[in-house]
Amino acid sequence: MPSWPNAVEGMIEVFGTEPETVPLLLQFLTLLPEELNSNTRIPITDDEYKERAARLLTANSNRVLELLSLYIQASGVTTAVQIQVFNCLRSWIIAGEVSSIGLAETQLFAFSFDALASDELFDAAVDVICELIHETQEIDDNMAVIELIVPRVIALKPLLLKHREDPDKIKGYARIFTEAGETYRVLLLRHTETFFPIVEAIGECSAYPDLEIVPITFPFWMRLAQNIGKKSSVPQLFLDAYRSLMRVIISHLHFPSDSDALTGQEADSFRSFRHVMGDTLKDCCFVLRTDTCLLATYELITTALSRSPEALSWQEIEAPLFALRSMGAEIDPNDNNAVPKIMDLIPSLPNHPRVRYAALLIISRYTEWINMHPDYIRFQLQYISAGFEDSDIEVSAAAGQALKYLCQDCKQHLVDFLPTLHTFLSTTGLKLVQDDRRQVYEAIAHVISAMPMDRAAESLRTFTLDILAQVHTIASRPTAATQEDIFNINNGLENLEIMLHVIRSFGEELPIACQNTCQQAWLVFDTFLTKYGSSYDVTERTTRVLRHAVTFFDKAALPVAPAVVDRMSHAFEATGYSSYLWIAGKVIDAFGDEEDRRSVWIAGKAMNVSGNNEAYQLLRGSFKVLFERSTAKVVSLLQLKSPSDLPDVLEDYVQMLLKLVDKSPDIFFQSSAFPVAFRASMAALTVVHTDVIFAALDLFRIILTHNCLSDNLSPPPKFPLYAAAIQAAFEKEGYELVGYLLAGLMSDFPEDSTSTVVSVFRSIASTWGPQLLSWLPMILGQLPVAAATNEAKTRFLSDITSAVKAREYDKVKYAILELNRASRKTRERRRGGMGGL
C-alpha cells in the first residue's frame, strides 16, 4: 500500500524484538519476496511495481541480512526459528535481493554448512546452500565466494560413506554436489584436478541404490557431456568417469531378482525410469563414442554367457540388451565394427521371454543399420517370426513392432519376402492378438509402398481381397452374425484401414489390378452396412475404411459416390451415428465441385463431365437428399437431447454443411432445408467444445459474408436466390443468433475465435444494421452481470450504435474486442479476486 512506505522496518520494529513474535516477522519476510515476484493480480503498473519492489526489497536487503545473522545464533534460539531463518534467507536469495558476496561476509555462510550436521536443520541448510551456489553462476564476478564454497563442498564427500544408510542425507548431498557440478562446469574443465572430487562425489551419488536419488545427478552428466563431447581430446579423468557411469547405469537397469516383488505401479515406474536412464547412456556415447559403449556393453553380455546356465540370471542379459537398445539411436548406419557383433550375438541369447523381448526391440531400433546391411534381413525375419509364436504377449507385441520398423526402413529389400509374409498371415498370423496382427499388416503396407506400381497393386489386391472375402461371407450369410463374427470382421477392417493409410494412393490413374475394385468393394460394404450398420462398432470401423478409400480411389470412385452418399444418408437417419455424416462430408469434399472439372478418370479412361453426366447428376441428387434427411434427423435429435449431449453429431453435421456450401452452394442455399439447417447449426454455438464452436462460427461467417449479399452490378444468376434465402433465414433467426454470439463471446468461446465473431458481427452490422440496433438492448439486458458489467454493456451498445449510424463498420471490431476484454476481466475477478499487499 502506498500509504505504508516503510512496511519492512515497521514490521521489524513491532515484531522483531520479542521472541514470541519473531516467528511472525520471519513468516512475513519470507512471503514478501514471493508475493512481489509471483502475484500477478496486484493492480499496479509496471513502473509502480518496480518502484515499490525496490523500496520494499532492495532498500531493506542489508537490514534483513543483518537481522537473520542476528537471529540464527541468538541466545535461546530454537530450531524452529533457525529453520525459519534459512527459509527466509532462501526466499531473498531467489528474489535476487541477497548477493552471494554479501552473504559470505556474514556468519550465515559458515552456519549454513555447519547446520548440515543437524538432523533438524539439514533440509533447510541444503536448500540455502544450493541457492547460494546457483547465485554464483557468474563465475568471474563471484570467484572470491566460489573459493570459499568449493572447499566446503568437497569436504562433504566423505560424508557420503558415513551416511550411506540414510537416503535422506544422501539426497541432500546429491543436490549440493550436483548443483556445484552444474554451476562450475567451466571450472571443472579449466582446473580438472582441483574440481574433480566434485565429479567423483556425483558419481557416488549416481551409484547409490535408491533410484529416487540417482536422477538428481542426470542433468549434470548431460550438460557436462555437451561441454566435453565437442572437444577433440577429452581428459582421461572424464573418460574414466563416464565409463564408470555407464557401468553404474547398466547395473541400475537390472530388474530385481524377484521381479514379482514389484507392484503394478512400482513396475510401471521402474520401466519408465529405465528410459530416463537410457538417455544418460546416450550422454556416455557422446563422450566415449558410440562404438566404445556398444562394445563395452556387448562384452558384459558375452562375459555373462560364458558362465554356466545355472549361474546365469536373465537380468544379467536383459539389462545390457536394454542399454544397447537405448544407445541404438546413436549408432552409425555404416558401422562395421560393433553392430555386426551384436547382431551375430542375438541368436545365441537365452530363450527367456524378457531376453527375447529386449532382443526384438534392439532389432526395432537398429533397422536403419539393417537397411545398410541387408544380408541380415533373412535372419531377422526368422527371429521375429519366432517371436510371434511366443506365448508371452509382450514378446509377440515386440515382434510386431520389430516387423513394422524392419519393413518401414528396409522395404525395398523385403519385396521378395512378401509371399512369405502373406503365408505367415494365413498361418501363424491367425493366432496373433489384434494389436500384433495390425502391426504385421502395417509392415506389409510399407513393403507394398516400395514396389513398382503394377506389382504393388497386385499385392494390395491380394491382401485386401482376403479381408473383403470375410466381410462378404458374413454379409451374405442368411443367419445373423455372432458377436465373435462381428469382432473378427472389425479387426479385419482395422487391418485394411492401416494398409490404406500407409499406401494412401497410386496416383490419378489406377493400375489395372485396381480399376474395378472400387465398385466390387462397395458392393460388399453396402451389403454389410445394410445388414449391420446399426452396430456402432461396425459403423466406426467401416467408415474409417471408407475415408481412406475415398483418398485411394479418388476420381475412380465417382460412379459409386452417389450410392455411398445415399447409404450414409439413410444410415444416419436410421441410427443417428455421426460417422455417417463424416463420410458424407468427405465425399462432398472430394466430388462436390466435379462440374468444374474438365474430365474425370473412370476405370482408367478419361470421360467428359458436363451437367448431363449421369453419375454427376445422381451425385448432386444424393447431396440434396442427404442435406434434407440429415437436417431433419439432427432437428429430431435436438428435440430429444440437449446440444451438449450431441457434440459429435453437431460437429460432423456442421462440417458436412461447410463442405456443401463450399462445393455445391446452389444445393445448400436453394434447398427447403436451408432455414432449418441455419437454426440447427445455432445449437452448435452452445456446445462447450472448441472444434464444434469453430466449425459453427466458420459456417455462419461463410453464410453471412457471402458475396451474394454484396452490391454486385452483374451478379451470377443464382446470387439473388442465395441472398433471398439468407435474408429470410436471418430475419427469422437473427435475434437468437446475435444472442448466442454475445453469450459465447463472454463465456465459453475459445479465445482464438474472436476474429471470426468480429467478421460475423461486422457483416450483420453492415447488412442488418437497424435490426441489430433494435435487438441489442434486450439481448444485452438478458446477459448476466457475471459475464460483463452493466457499464461494459452500455459502452458496447453505444459503440455499435455509433458504428452503424456512421456506417463505419470497421469500428465494430474494436467494440467487440473491448467487450471481450471487459468480460474476461470480470470473469478473472470472479475466479481469483484481486490481491494486494
Side-chain angles (χ1 to χ4, degrees):
M1 292 186 295
S3 59
W4 192 15
N6 58 342
V8 173
E9 191 59 43
M11 290 291 290
I12 292 173
E13 290 178 1
V14 174
F15 298 104
T17 56
E18 298 297 329
E20 60 270 16
T21 59
V22 165
L24 293 174
L25 172 64
L26 290 173
Q27 185 177 9
F28 167 78
L29 293 175
T30 301
L31 294 175
L32 180 61
E34 297 173 5
E35 278 293 305
L36 280 173
N37 290 316
S38 63
N39 190 342
T40 59
R41 294 192 178 97
I42 302 175
I44 57 176
T45 65
D46 289 344
D47 290 338
E48 289 173 329
Y49 167 79
K50 292 176 183 178
E51 186 271 328
R52 294 185 195 178
R55 186 190 308 168
L56 284 167
L57 299 180
T58 308
N60 291 291
S61 60
N62 290 334
R63 178 74 176 98
V64 169
L65 197 56
E66 292 173 3
L67 194 70
L68 297 179
S69 300
L70 175 65
Y71 288 156
I72 196 67
Q73 288 183 303
S75 175
V77 65
T78 64
T79 301
V81 169
Q82 289 177 319
I83 291 173
Q84 278 192 288
V85 169
F86 277 138
N87 292 338
C88 182
L89 177 59
R90 178 174 178 268
S91 179
W92 282 70
I93 294 174
I94 292 173
E97 299 297 339
V98 171
S99 69
S100 59
I101 296 173
L103 177 57
E105 293 174 349
T106 71
Q107 59 181 338
L108 288 166
F109 176 84
F111 191 81
S112 297
F113 285 92
D114 295 341
L116 294 173
S118 166
D119 291 340
E120 293 85 357
L121 299 178
F122 182 83
D123 290 338
V126 168
D127 288 340
V128 168
I129 293 170
C130 288
E131 294 300 337
L132 170 60
I133 293 172
H134 186 75
E135 189 66 18
T136 62
Q137 58 188 304
E138 300 294 335
I139 302 295
D140 294 336
D141 296 339
N142 292 282
M143 187 55 71
V145 182
I146 293 171
E147 289 174 350
L148 297 175
I149 292 174
V150 170
R152 289 181 175 272
V153 170
I154 292 176
L156 299 174
K157 185 169 176 283
L159 299 179
L160 291 173
L161 180 59
K162 179 180 179 181
H163 297 292
R164 184 168 180 78
E165 302 303 321
D166 187 343
D168 291 334
K169 288 285 182 69
I170 299 298
K171 183 176 182 179
Y173 294 136
R175 289 180 55 202
I176 293 173
F177 287 124
T178 301
E179 186 66 52
E182 289 193 62
T183 304
Y184 304 142
R185 286 195 314 279
V186 175
L187 296 175
L188 280 172
L189 298 173
R190 289 180 191 168
H191 311 286
T192 301
E193 292 189 1
T194 301
F195 285 82
F196 200 73
I198 295 177
V199 179
E200 292 175 326
I202 297 173
E204 290 186 43
C205 295
S206 297
Y208 194 70
D210 189 330
L211 296 186
E212 290 187 4
I213 293 171
V214 173
I216 294 173
T217 67
F218 289 171
F220 164 75
W221 295 115
M222 178 191 69
R223 294 188 176 97
L224 182 62
Q226 291 170 346
N227 284 117
I228 65 179
K230 300 173 184 177
K231 294 181 175 294
S232 57
S233 63
V234 180
Q236 188 62 41
L237 287 173
F238 289 122
L239 293 176
D240 293 342
Y242 274 93
R243 285 194 187 95
S244 175
L245 176 65
M246 183 181 66
R247 290 191 294 271
V248 161
I249 294 299
I250 293 176
S251 70
H252 285 320
L253 290 172
H254 282 67
F255 276 98
S257 55
D258 181 10
S259 56
D260 294 336
L262 293 175
T263 65
Q265 181 59 48
E266 289 172 340
D268 290 342
S269 298
F270 180 65
R271 288 191 180 97
S272 298
F273 183 55
R274 295 178 100 210
H275 291 286
V276 176
M277 291 191 284
D279 291 336
T280 301
L281 287 173
K282 296 173 189 176
D283 299 330
C284 295
C285 290
F286 196 50
V287 175
L288 300 172
R289 304 299 176 253
T290 303
D291 58 340
T292 302
C293 295
L294 292 176
L295 287 172
T297 308
Y298 165 83
E299 289 173 3
L300 290 175
I301 299 174
T302 56
T303 300
L305 290 174
S306 66
R307 300 201 303 273
S308 64
E310 296 78 14
L312 179 65
S313 69
W314 65 266
Q315 289 90 341
E316 294 177 85
I317 305 299
E318 191 275 341
L321 285 176
F322 183 93
L324 290 174
R325 172 191 168 196
S326 297
M327 294 185 283
E330 308 300 320
I331 67 170
D332 179 0
N334 295 306
D335 175 76
N336 290 312
N337 182 27
V339 181
K341 294 181 179 180
I342 296 168
M343 290 295 148
D344 292 338
L345 177 67
I346 289 179
S348 63
L349 295 174
N351 190 24
H352 187 282
R354 296 299 88 205
V355 173
R356 184 175 285 276
Y357 174 82
L360 285 166
L361 292 183
I362 287 177
I363 295 175
S364 299
R365 183 59 65 88
Y366 285 49
T367 49
E368 291 185 12
W369 181 90
I370 297 170
N371 183 48
M372 303 298 293
H373 302 78
D375 291 345
Y376 283 88
I377 288 178
R378 185 173 297 277
F379 147 70
Q380 308 292 3
L381 282 176
Q382 292 172 353
Y383 195 83
I384 291 169
S385 179
F388 281 118
E389 297 179 3
D390 198 292
S391 59
D392 189 293
I393 59 173
E394 290 190 351
V395 174
S396 182
Q401 183 174 328
L403 183 61
K404 179 178 73 173
Y405 286 115
L406 187 69
C407 291
Q408 183 174 315
D409 291 333
C410 311
K411 52 191 175 185
Q412 71 272 19
H413 300 303
L414 283 162
V415 171
D416 293 336
F417 291 92
L418 206 55
T420 303
L421 292 171
H422 184 256
T423 302
F424 170 83
L425 273 176
S426 59
T427 54
T428 304
L430 299 176
K431 306 174 187 176
L432 302 180
V433 298
Q434 172 56 15
D435 285 347
D436 298 338
R437 193 183 302 116
R438 185 188 64 251
Q439 291 202 82
V440 175
Y441 273 97
E442 183 178 358
I444 290 169
H446 284 295
V447 177
I448 292 175
S449 70
M451 300 172 71
M453 189 175 295
D454 288 339
R455 286 188 63 189
E458 288 288 352
S459 297
L460 179 62
R461 180 183 174 87
T462 298
F463 285 95
T464 56
L465 283 181
D466 290 345
I467 298 171
L468 290 176
Q470 297 170 19
V471 178
H472 175 71
T473 299
I474 296 298
S476 58
R477 184 188 296 171
T479 57
T482 64
Q483 287 187 341
E484 182 180 0
D485 291 334
I486 296 298
F487 179 77
N488 291 332
I489 290 299
N490 285 339
N491 288 341
L493 292 174
E494 184 181 18
N495 298 332
L496 179 55
E497 175 198 350
I498 195 65
M499 293 191 78
L500 293 176
H501 171 73
V502 172
I503 295 171
R504 299 190 66 81
S505 173
F506 285 143
E508 289 191 0
E509 184 174 0
L510 290 175
I512 294 175
C514 294
Q515 287 179 4
N516 295 318
T517 54
C518 184
Q519 291 90 330
Q520 295 168 352
W522 172 244
L523 287 175
V524 174
F525 280 115
D526 191 31
T527 305
F528 184 58
L529 284 175
T530 301
K531 198 167 185 180
Y532 298 106
S534 59
S535 164
Y536 180 79
D537 291 337
V538 166
T539 300
E540 288 296 301
R541 279 287 156 224
T542 307
T543 53
R544 290 173 72 90
V545 173
L546 292 176
R547 168 67 186 93
H548 291 293
V550 170
T551 301
F552 178 82
F553 288 110
D554 193 30
K555 300 171 186 177
L558 180 60
V560 303
V564 173
V565 174
D566 281 339
R567 174 57 57 206
M568 299 302 108
S569 175
H570 285 83
F572 175 67
E573 187 177 47
T575 66
Y577 295 154
S578 66
S579 296
Y580 291 122
L581 293 179
W582 177 58
I583 291 302
K586 297 300 181 184
V587 176
I588 294 172
D589 192 38
F591 303 112
D593 58 356
E594 201 66 30
E595 190 175 24
D596 297 330
R597 303 186 187 185
R598 293 184 179 181
S599 65
V600 296
W601 287 89
I602 301 178
K605 298 179 181 179
M607 296 185 62
N608 185 39
V609 174
S610 67
N612 295 322
N613 179 269
E614 182 180 355
Y616 182 60
Q617 288 304 315
L618 288 172
L619 187 62
R620 284 177 54 79
S622 69
F623 289 170
K624 185 174 185 297
V625 172
L626 168 72
F627 183 27
E628 294 169 356
R629 285 178 175 269
S630 64
T631 299
K633 180 64 177 180
V634 169
V635 170
S636 69
L637 290 173
L638 288 171
Q639 291 171 348
L640 299 173
K641 298 181 180 180
S642 69
S644 61
D645 294 328
L646 299 167
D648 293 340
V649 170
L650 288 172
E651 181 180 2
D652 287 326
Y653 174 68
V654 173
Q655 288 288 357
M656 185 199 72
L657 297 184
L658 286 168
K659 303 296 191 301
L660 190 63
V661 71
D662 178 45
K663 302 293 186 177
S664 302
D666 56 334
I667 294 176
F668 181 73
F669 287 117
Q670 294 181 253
S671 170
S672 59
F674 171 69
V676 185
F678 190 100
R679 180 169 182 80
S681 299
M682 287 163 48
L685 295 173
T686 67
V687 179
V688 186
H689 191 292
T690 299
D691 292 339
V692 180
I693 291 172
F694 273 120
L697 288 174
D698 280 341
L699 179 64
F700 286 112
R701 176 184 56 79
I702 290 170
I703 293 172
L704 299 178
T705 64
H706 197 278
N707 286 337
C708 70
L709 297 173
S710 304
D711 295 328
N712 297 307
L713 296 178
S714 55
K718 295 181 179 179
F719 268 26
L721 299 175
Y722 297 175
I726 296 172
Q727 291 278 4
F730 188 82
E731 291 287 347
K732 183 177 180 182
E733 311 293 350
Y735 176 84
E736 284 193 46
L737 175 61
V738 172
Y740 284 138
L741 290 172
L742 289 179
L745 181 73
M746 293 189 286
S747 57
D748 297 322
F749 282 4
E751 289 187 17
D752 293 345
S753 68
T754 306
S755 60
T756 308
V757 175
V758 168
S759 297
V760 174
F761 239 91
R762 188 188 185 285
S763 179
I764 292 173
S766 62
T767 308
W768 296 278
Q771 293 96 319
L772 177 63
L773 296 183
S774 67
W775 294 335
L776 275 180
M778 186 174 295
I779 292 173
L780 291 170
Q782 292 172 349
L783 295 174
V785 178
T789 63
N790 290 329
E791 291 80 4
K793 296 176 189 176
T794 301
R795 185 165 58 251
F796 173 73
L797 178 60
S798 174
D799 292 342
I800 293 292
T801 301
S802 299
V804 170
K805 289 184 176 179
R807 297 180 179 274
E808 295 177 338
Y809 302 115
D810 288 340
K811 292 185 177 180
V812 171
K813 170 183 178 180
Y814 304 108
I816 291 287
L817 294 178
E818 180 58 33
L819 178 65
N820 186 38
R821 278 193 293 267
S823 173
R824 191 165 59 247
K825 288 181 180 179
T826 300
R827 295 196 304 271
E828 287 175 355
R829 288 192 188 99
R830 291 184 66 246
R831 281 196 299 265
M834 294 297 293
L837 288 179

